[in-house]
Amino acid sequence: MAQTDNKKFFENLTGAGKAIAVLTSGGDAQGMNAAVRAVVRMGIYVGAKVYFVHEGYQGMVDGGDNIKEATWESVSSMLQMGGTVIGSARCKDFRTHEGRLKAAHNLVQRGITNLCVIGGDGSLTGANLFREEWSGLLAELVQQSLIDEEAAQKYSALHIVGMVGSIDNDFCGTDMTIGTDSALHRIIEVVDAIMTTAQSHQRTFVLEVMGRHCGYLALVSALACGADWVLIPEMPPEDGWEEKMCQKLSAKRAGMKRLNIIIVAEGAIDRNNKAITSEHVKNLVVQRLGFDTRVTILGHVQRGGTPSAFDRILASRMGVEAVLALLETTANTAACVVSLRGNQSVRLPLMECVQMTQEVQKAMDEKRFEEAVRLRGRSFENNLKTYKLLAHRKPESELPHSNFNVAVLNVGAPAAGMNAAVRSAVRVGISEGHKMFAVSDGFEGFSKGQIKEVKWADVGGWTGQGGSLLGTKRTLPAKHIEKIAEQMRQYNINALLMIGGFEALLGIMELLAARGTYEELCVPMVMVPATVSNNVPGSDLSIGADTALNAITDTCDRIKQSASGTKRRVFIIETMGGYCGYLASVGGLAAGADAAYIFEEPFDIRDLQSNVEHLTEKMKTGIQRGLILRNENSNENYTTDFIYQLYSEEGRGVFDCRKNVLGHMQQGGSPSPFDRNFGTKIAAKAMQWITKKLSESYRQGRVFANTEDSACLLGMRRRALVFQPVVQLKDETDFIHRTPKEQWWLKLRPLMKILAKYKTSYDVSDSGQLEHVVLSRPKESEAMAAI
């Protein structure tokens, strides 16, 4: 194991002499193929033999052609495919001792003692039982003379690593399971389409989504589309819910809202564990209100289609981590599952996760519903809190009255998810008793007095809208500072919430600098990062970046598809991002690119030449397509045109080239479910911080906040949402190139290179520690992790 500056690198970890088998089991989930591809390529990369097990555990029991050695090329077009290419099946045989004995025999014959299982908790529990029985099974095989003593000694321990593939996100210990984000994409596509027809006819729609035991999909899709009511198994509605729901629907209709949406998880129950069906909900609405109501059951649509960018990246990271875990395992290592916490991959004991997952069901069966929600984890809990906060408006008489005025504005270029953040901020502000003001056209509009009060209903339906409905400009406040201070005095603005990119950070810094001159600026200010470039210091993620990544991967899929059936072709694609290579690098990982040129990692003509040679070799193995991404400002001389012409010339006779500049397509369109939810939750948290700061800084009848921590950026750092004074972010910022000095995602670049067969160095210092599943109460400072 190479050691440098206490860093751990994987180059000296070898898989020589090891055999790894990968299988998918249980229900299929989008992204499983990306995980299989990552396991195969990482396994081959470190010198191990890798085998596909077709048809899940059934294939392991049946053996023969179901267990086949995989090659690098055999996974070359799997990344963008939905479902699982190697097949999955429910297997009764594996549940029997005889079946497991056959499976053990089939593995030992091929020298396989490392198993990577991608499935739900049932599949992983089965794998663990198999591991525990392994030595006994081998002893039986020796007894039956099916294997000899030498083989039993040589293959004496079975090592298991699990990855959770389940669209329900029903596995404890991980923030997201493979397939969940893609399922949310399918649901939101349907909801967005339904909204147009429902508005045309003044209809109520009851949508049934998957989730027999887990309400995650229903809850998050309700948050992402602003549904009027949601029914989930973990938190059944209070008795008398029917009356409350009908009152809410009729109040909405009276308020001129033309459509109502109710989302029902297929496993929804009432307080007596009695099922609540979508048909029952529809009949209720029709009988009590007489509304035109339709039921849509989404069913297997949610499992289908191509995986989202998030799922491809998640599955690729998990697959690589799973192989690392298998390489480091010893005879005494417990079976582990690789999972996601915040934006970090972690290893957890498999059975701890399974036990906690089973605890949730037990709590629900025993009607301990609060406990069930808590056991689901902080991400689920926060989603539920945020939904309750935003969906149910308290009557005026029950609202607190604060006498504070809070202004919300968008700054910089538009980013998908900004509107969801504004809606969330406005509604949380109103429910905390503040008067909310919306500023149009950023700081420029602020200086001109384009400020108006916004009410609860004014932001209805904003969650799914792309761009910025408030209007946004890149103008900085410094030259308008006097007029801005005047407007703040005129409207008695007591706090500011800025939603935007690098300009918003510069803007808040300029306002802070002017506090000594203008007392009106001595108020709490908070900034929430929203930019497709994901270049804001102090936050690992920005609102809008996920939507942009999906636009890039969708386009790359189509472009690659256009080459199928034609001669060999290499595509050179230019992405946005200014000097920040996030979109090119992470988009490259999601799209299966061969290289991504970025400013942060300087390159020269020799690198370009070696990439051409690499592609030439690749084409000779029968792969038809190559994909190169280039960040727009990666190099002023090696332009997209230059690279295109160089590749065209050097590849002549082997492949031809095409180029594509994606441009503003990455900024537009409807926000992804991730961006809707991230925007919603981060803005809600920002408003709660504003309320706290306002009460702390209220003195002698007015607000006066002039401390460092009264102007903050709220960003996601590793596993938590953290408030950071903007003054402290100056040292972390490269102001010339408008990027953070350190960027976490650079650690993901070697993954793209490894999966494209380039020799590279990979820092695995963050890997390898087996953590435990703990159920602690989340601290105030901790985040709801990424949705």
Side-chain angles (χ1 to χ4, degrees):
M1 183 83 74
Q3 289 285 344
T4 319
D5 300 326
N6 293 328
K7 283 192 171 177
K8 188 170 79 168
F9 293 91
F10 92 117
E11 288 88 303
N12 294 353
L13 276 177
T14 177
K18 294 194 175 188
I20 299 170
V22 58
L23 68 103
T24 54
S25 174
D28 61 305
Q30 307 96 316
M32 279 182 164
N33 291 322
V36 169
R37 169 182 177 266
V39 170
V40 168
R41 291 201 164 173
M42 185 65 169
I44 292 171
Y45 190 92
V46 296
K49 274 189 168 186
V50 187
Y51 290 86
F52 290 134
V53 178
H54 290 274
E55 311 307 329
Y57 286 121
Q58 192 64 55
M60 205 197 292
V61 172
D62 295 344
D65 283 348
N66 288 306
I67 306 174
K68 271 190 191 155
E69 191 173 346
T71 64
W72 192 274
E73 291 72 35
S74 60
V75 292
S76 68
S77 54
M78 280 170 83
L79 189 61
Q80 64 268 31
M81 293 175 130
T84 164
V85 170
I86 59 173
S88 178
R90 309 275 176 198
C91 178
K92 284 180 183 165
D93 293 346
F94 192 73
R95 291 178 184 173
T96 66
H97 183 76
E98 258 53 58
R100 292 193 291 278
L101 192 66
K102 279 185 194 170
H105 186 216
N106 288 328
L107 294 188
V108 171
Q109 280 180 317
R110 293 163 180 81
I112 298 167
T113 55
N114 296 282
L115 201 53
C116 187
V117 180
I118 308 162
D121 63 335
S123 308
L124 299 181
T125 308
N128 192 58
L129 175 66
F130 190 40
R131 182 186 74 92
E132 287 170 350
E133 287 184 352
W134 183 257
S135 55
L137 294 170
L138 262 51
E140 271 186 67
L141 292 170
V142 170
Q143 218 176 351
Q144 293 174 22
S145 304
L146 290 168
I147 61 169
D148 56 28
E149 276 290 351
E150 194 186 333
Q153 285 297 315
K154 191 176 176 186
Y155 306 122
S156 60
L158 178 68
H159 306 298
I160 302 273
V161 171
M163 281 184 270
V164 191
S166 159
I167 67 164
D168 291 339
N169 203 30
D170 56 355
F171 194 80
C172 291
T174 183
D175 289 340
M176 277 298 244
T177 56
I178 295 167
T180 306
D181 188 67
S182 303
L184 284 170
H185 273 257
R186 298 297 93 78
I187 295 168
I188 295 306
E189 281 161 18
V190 170
V191 172
D192 286 352
I194 275 175
M195 277 184 162
T196 53
T197 179
Q199 279 179 323
S200 307
H201 297 277
Q202 280 204 335
R203 277 199 180 128
T204 297
F205 268 86
V206 181
L207 239 79
E208 185 182 298
V209 301
M210 279 186 169
R212 205 170 314 138
H213 306 294
C214 178
Y216 186 89
L217 288 179
L219 178 56
V220 174
S221 51
L223 249 183
C225 71
D228 298 296
W229 203 267
V230 65
L231 293 156
I232 59 170
E234 291 87 346
M235 187 49 76
E238 300 289 343
D239 292 341
W241 64 273
E242 298 92 339
E243 191 56 46
K244 279 186 189 160
M245 182 184 77
C246 291
Q247 277 173 2
K248 184 176 180 188
L249 297 179
S250 91
K252 283 276 176 86
R253 196 60 70 87
M256 302 308 289
K257 188 176 176 188
R258 295 182 63 83
L259 81 153
N260 302 110
I261 288 189
I262 301 161
I263 295 184
V264 184
E266 62 180 341
I269 49 172
D270 64 16
R271 293 262 148 186
N272 301 310
N273 281 353
K274 185 168 169 275
I276 299 175
T277 64
S278 45
E279 201 57 40
H280 172 65
V281 175
K282 175 203 161 177
N283 293 338
L284 258 174
V285 176
V286 172
Q287 284 160 17
R288 297 198 182 191
L289 300 173
F291 289 175
D292 185 2
T293 307
R294 299 282 190 278
V295 171
T296 300
I297 297 172
L298 295 190
H300 280 70
V301 164
Q302 295 155 90
R303 284 196 191 280
T306 58
S308 66
F310 184 99
D311 271 330
R312 297 180 197 199
I313 296 156
L314 173 67
S316 299
R317 288 177 72 184
M318 297 297 101
V320 167
E321 183 70 23
V323 173
L324 287 176
L326 286 170
L327 293 182
E328 291 176 359
T329 193
T330 64
N332 304 322
T333 313
C336 77
V337 59
V338 290
S339 62
L340 182 80
R341 291 270 180 90
N343 65 9
Q344 283 186 290
S345 49
V346 295
R347 299 178 196 172
L348 301 164
L350 191 150
M351 288 320 289
E352 279 186 27
C353 296
V354 168
Q355 276 154 13
M356 193 173 296
T357 304
Q358 289 166 351
E359 279 295 313
V360 180
Q361 192 55 50
K362 195 175 161 196
M364 281 156 60
D365 292 343
E366 293 170 7
K367 302 185 186 178
R368 291 181 284 117
F369 298 115
E370 299 282 346
E371 181 78 357
V373 168
R374 199 164 67 82
L375 287 164
R376 278 272 179 244
R378 63 181 188 188
S379 174
F380 190 93
E381 219 174 343
N382 279 308
N383 282 318
L384 189 57
K385 279 180 192 162
T386 312
Y387 177 77
K388 284 178 175 173
L389 204 59
L390 297 172
H392 302 296
R393 188 187 177 187
K394 288 179 181 169
E396 292 287 339
S397 55
E398 286 179 32
L399 288 175
H401 192 61
S402 75
N403 286 326
F404 293 130
N405 295 346
V406 181
V408 183
L409 64 155
N410 291 339
V411 184
M418 274 182 163
N419 298 321
V422 172
R423 168 187 175 266
S424 172
V426 166
R427 291 198 167 177
V428 172
I430 289 170
S431 58
E432 299 199 334
H434 312 317
K435 257 192 185 178
M436 297 301 296
F437 288 85
V439 180
S440 300
D441 296 339
F443 289 116
E444 198 175 303
F446 209 148
S447 68
K448 292 175 183 170
Q450 291 169 234
I451 304 165
K452 63 171 190 194
E453 190 182 346
V454 271
K455 302 280 198 209
W456 187 279
D458 296 336
V459 290
W462 278 36
T463 331
Q465 303 280 331
S468 163
L469 292 171
L470 284 184
T472 181
K473 291 248 168 88
R474 291 179 184 270
T475 316
L476 293 174
K479 56 185 176 185
H480 303 290
I481 210 90
E482 194 177 330
K483 287 182 177 171
I484 288 171
E486 195 183 300
Q487 297 297 342
M488 287 189 70
R489 187 167 57 250
Q490 192 180 325
Y491 284 90
N492 190 25
I493 302 296
N494 307 119
L496 284 179
L497 170 58
M498 285 154 262
I499 300 161
F502 205 85
E503 287 87 358
L505 180 67
L506 295 175
I508 196 169
M509 284 176 175
E510 289 181 2
L511 294 176
L512 200 53
R515 274 181 172 177
T517 315
Y518 300 99
E519 212 176 75
E520 293 84 356
L521 301 177
C522 296
V523 297
M525 302 176 189
V526 64
M527 176 205 157
V528 165
T531 166
V532 299
S533 305
N534 199 30
N535 63 334
V536 177
S539 189
D540 294 347
L541 293 171
S542 297
I543 299 164
D546 183 71
T547 306
L549 280 178
N550 279 293
I552 292 166
T553 36
D554 287 352
T555 309
C556 289
D557 286 353
R558 290 179 192 190
I559 284 170
K560 287 202 303 196
Q561 208 171 30
S562 74
S564 54
T566 66
K567 55 187 175 177
R568 294 167 185 150
R569 190 162 277 173
V570 173
F571 296 95
I572 290 130
I573 292 169
E574 183 184 299
T575 67
M576 275 182 158
Y579 286 98
C580 177
Y582 177 81
L583 289 180
S585 297
V586 183
L589 181 58
D594 295 281
Y597 300 124
I598 61 169
F599 175 77
E600 292 91 341
E601 208 172 271
F603 58 97
D604 58 22
I605 197 75
R606 288 182 295 277
D607 296 311
L608 295 172
Q609 183 62 40
S610 76
N611 289 151
V612 171
E613 287 164 9
H614 188 89
L615 282 164
T616 305
E617 283 304 307
K618 174 179 164 173
M619 298 293 175
K620 286 176 185 169
T621 63
I623 294 172
Q624 295 280 316
R625 296 164 300 216
L627 184 66
I628 305 290
L629 268 59
R630 178 187 173 274
N631 165 248
E632 58 185 354
N633 289 350
S634 54
N635 189 299
E636 61 181 338
N637 295 315
Y638 299 134
T639 61
T640 303
D641 275 340
F642 176 90
I643 293 171
Y644 163 68
Q645 285 165 0
L646 177 81
Y647 272 61
S648 297
E649 184 59 36
E650 295 294 317
R652 190 170 290 176
V654 182
F655 57 79
D656 66 354
C657 272
R658 294 287 184 274
K659 67 173 177 181
N660 198 311
V661 178
L662 298 186
H664 280 71
M665 191 176 146
Q666 296 155 86
Q667 266 182 357
S670 175
S672 67
F674 183 98
D675 277 332
R676 295 180 194 204
N677 284 8
F678 187 47
T680 297
K681 287 196 287 193
I682 199 169
K685 198 168 178 73
M687 274 309 305
Q688 287 165 338
W689 177 88
I690 282 176
T691 301
K692 187 165 158 266
K693 285 288 169 197
L694 282 170
S695 61
E696 283 172 10
S697 53
Y698 188 69
R699 305 275 183 281
Q700 285 104 33
R702 70 191 188 105
V703 171
F704 186 80
N706 197 19
T707 52
E708 260 191 20
D709 68 348
S710 64
C712 281
L713 177 141
L714 173 56
M716 183 165 174
R717 281 274 168 106
R718 291 167 79 90
R719 304 184 191 183
L721 282 176
V722 187
F723 289 96
Q724 301 142 101
V726 290
V727 174
Q728 293 172 17
L729 293 174
K730 282 183 181 173
D731 294 340
E732 296 183 28
T733 308
D734 173 352
F735 287 99
I736 296 166
H737 299 106
R738 300 159 62 90
T739 56
K741 285 179 183 170
E742 283 191 23
Q743 313 215 57
W744 70 273
W745 52 264
L746 285 168
K747 286 184 180 173
L748 299 183
R749 277 184 67 77
L751 296 191
M752 184 187 72
K753 292 177 184 175
I754 288 166
L755 298 175
K757 216 176 189 174
Y758 285 93
K759 281 285 169 213
T760 188
S761 179
Y762 181 35
D763 176 7
V764 292
S765 311
D766 284 349
S767 299
Q769 292 307 308
L770 195 67
E771 298 189 11
H772 290 280
V773 188
V774 282
L775 235 203
S776 59
R777 300 304 305 155
K779 297 187 194 96
E780 183 59 36
S781 64
E782 279 192 0
M784 33 293 189
I787 52 166

